[in-house]
Amino acid sequence: MERFRRTRLNSQLRALVRETHVGVNDFIYPLFVRPGEGIKTEVASMPGVFQMSLDEILKECELLQSLGIHSIILFGIPEVKDSVGSDALCDHGIIATAVRAIKRAFPKMFVVTDLCFCEYTDHGHCGILDHVHETVDNDLTLGISAQQALVHARAGADMIAPSGMMDGIITTLRDALDGGGYVNLPIMSYSTKFASGYYGPFRDVAESVPSFGDRSTYQMDPANRREAIRESLVDEAQGADILMVKPALAYLDIIRDIREASSLPLAVYNVSGEYAMLKHAGAAGLIDYNRVMMETMVGFKRAGADIIISYHAKEVAALLS
């Protein structure tokens, strides 16, 4: 009889034979910046997550570095929104301003910029609208996405992360960045991003609820597995440096599928709804919050993720320390 318990009875031996490890360097922490000063507004649906003015963002970066977290992804909430997301196309817009300030104060902080338009448009969709078909015009949006990428690059972003799920986005951005002299700036593609109900709380914090319809005409159908793999492999072929699956918790099979299909680094986005469920269940005493949080992180790594974008990152870092 094989006795599996021989390697389970001693805690040190369990640690020695443990197959999957979670470390603080696995994490990217999302931050939401808005104009103003002295603003740190907690989002009711996401306890512990805040909209912050730039002065508060800088304080947060100092805290993150003290915890050993040296990678962030930035989302912007502009003062004025319009039909094409003009703030995102401006060298003095909220994201470009924030990137410059963070890199001045914390030059070793690795700053990833989310590249999309849903936070910047008055209609809440991810690009220029095609009013005839009530969706986003893919090719017109590619044009302004290239402009946005160059804004981020000039500001000093360390990596660009396009999230709009436009067809051809990686080729477009790679050509624009290379042509602008940013040949070494990596792209982390939201390569397999589903039209998910798990994004609800994010739309509260990013103020990006669509004014009509939803994003199912350009984000992926949650039921499609084969298409999910194809999406990521196409982005790899177009020049993405890192792939991503979003959301993570309900898509562990997709993470494993893509891990087996590609040798590129693979990120997962542990999204707002996943975070909020654990937070509220923990507050209600329904789960051992820290234990379930860490078990979830191990699940992402076991499925094949190299990088975890998560609102839990600070809590994970504190536990690991």
Side-chain angles (χ1 to χ4, degrees), residues 20-76:
T20 304
H21 299 272
V22 175
V24 68
N25 288 327
D26 298 330
F27 287 87
I28 299 174
Y29 187 66
L31 289 174
F32 298 87
V33 61
R34 69 176 311 139
E37 189 173 350
I39 298 170
K40 189 174 182 180
T41 306
E42 189 170 26
V43 180
S45 57
M46 297 179 70
V49 175
F50 300 85
Q51 294 180 342
M52 287 181 275
S53 53
L54 185 50
D55 56 321
E56 294 294 334
I57 288 282
L58 295 177
K59 294 176 187 176
E60 188 75 1
C61 286
E62 186 173 13
L63 172 62
L64 290 169
Q65 290 201 332
S66 74
L67 290 168
I69 298 170
H70 299 282
S71 300
I72 59 172
I73 183 167
L74 276 180
F75 298 87

Side-chain angles (χ1 to χ4, degrees), residues 114-167:
D114 178 80
L115 190 151
C116 194
F117 290 94
C118 59
E119 300 121 82
Y120 306 94
T121 55
D122 51 14
H123 48 74
H125 280 281
C126 298
I128 296 174
L129 288 182
D130 172 354
H131 292 283
V132 174
H133 300 99
E134 294 192 334
T135 185
V136 171
D137 187 304
N138 190 93
D139 293 0
L140 290 179
T141 300
L142 291 180
I144 58 172
S145 297
Q147 295 177 48
Q148 187 181 169
L150 290 172
V151 167
H152 292 186
R154 287 191 293 267
D158 294 299
M159 185 158 68
I160 306 291
S163 61
M165 288 296 286
M166 297 297 111
D167 293 331

Side-chain angles (χ1 to χ4, degrees), residues 21 74 153 159 166 174 181 200 212 221 228 246 249 252 287 310:
H21 299 272
L74 276 180
M159 185 158 68
M166 297 297 111
R174 190 72 271 160
F212 66 91
D221 186 332
K246 180 183 180 183
L249 193 56
L252 296 175
I287 59 171
S310 179

Side-chain angles (χ1 to χ4, degrees), residues 47-251:
V49 175
F50 300 85
Q51 294 180 342
M52 287 181 275
S53 53
L54 185 50
D55 56 321
E56 294 294 334
I57 288 282
L58 295 177
K59 294 176 187 176
E60 188 75 1
C61 286
E62 186 173 13
L63 172 62
L64 290 169
Q65 290 201 332
S66 74
L67 290 168
I69 298 170
H70 299 282
S71 300
I72 59 172
I73 183 167
L74 276 180
F75 298 87
I77 306 158
E79 193 164 25
V80 177
K81 303 187 180 194
D82 61 24
S83 62
V84 296
S86 297
D87 188 90
L89 304 174
C90 174
D91 285 313
H92 299 288
I94 186 64
I95 283 294
T97 300
V99 171
R100 287 193 297 270
I102 293 168
K103 294 301 290 186
R104 278 196 303 267
F106 303 98
K108 293 186 178 180
M109 181 66 81
F110 189 79
V111 179
V112 185
T113 53
D114 178 80
L115 190 151
C116 194
F117 290 94
C118 59
E119 300 121 82
Y120 306 94
T121 55
D122 51 14
H123 48 74
H125 280 281
C126 298
I128 296 174
L129 288 182
D130 172 354
H131 292 283
V132 174
H133 300 99
E134 294 192 334
T135 185
V136 171
D137 187 304
N138 190 93
D139 293 0
L140 290 179
T141 300
L142 291 180
I144 58 172
S145 297
Q147 295 177 48
Q148 187 181 169
L150 290 172
V151 167
H152 292 186
R154 287 191 293 267
D158 294 299
M159 185 158 68
I160 306 291
S163 61
M165 288 296 286
M166 297 297 111
D167 293 331
I169 186 69
I170 303 303
T171 294
T172 297
L173 298 187
R174 190 72 271 160
D175 287 348
L177 292 170
D178 291 356
Y182 301 101
V183 296
N184 292 319
L185 188 61
I187 298 173
M188 177 172 65
S189 172
Y190 285 66
S191 53
T192 299
K193 179 180 178 182
F194 292 90
S196 171
Y198 281 96
Y199 303 148
F202 173 90
R203 290 169 184 164
D204 295 336
V205 64
E207 299 181 5
S208 61
V209 178
S211 61
F212 66 91
D214 57 26
R215 300 188 176 117
S216 60
T217 60
Y218 44 100
Q219 294 177 356
M220 274 204 57
D221 186 332
N224 290 1
R225 177 184 178 190
R226 296 188 301 273
E227 182 187 0
I229 301 168
R230 283 172 31 226
E231 281 271 14
S232 279
L233 293 182
V234 165
D235 281 9
E236 177 177 4
Q238 290 183 10
D241 300 285
I242 299 173
L243 304 176
M244 187 198 300
V245 177
K246 180 183 180 183
L249 193 56
Y251 299 90

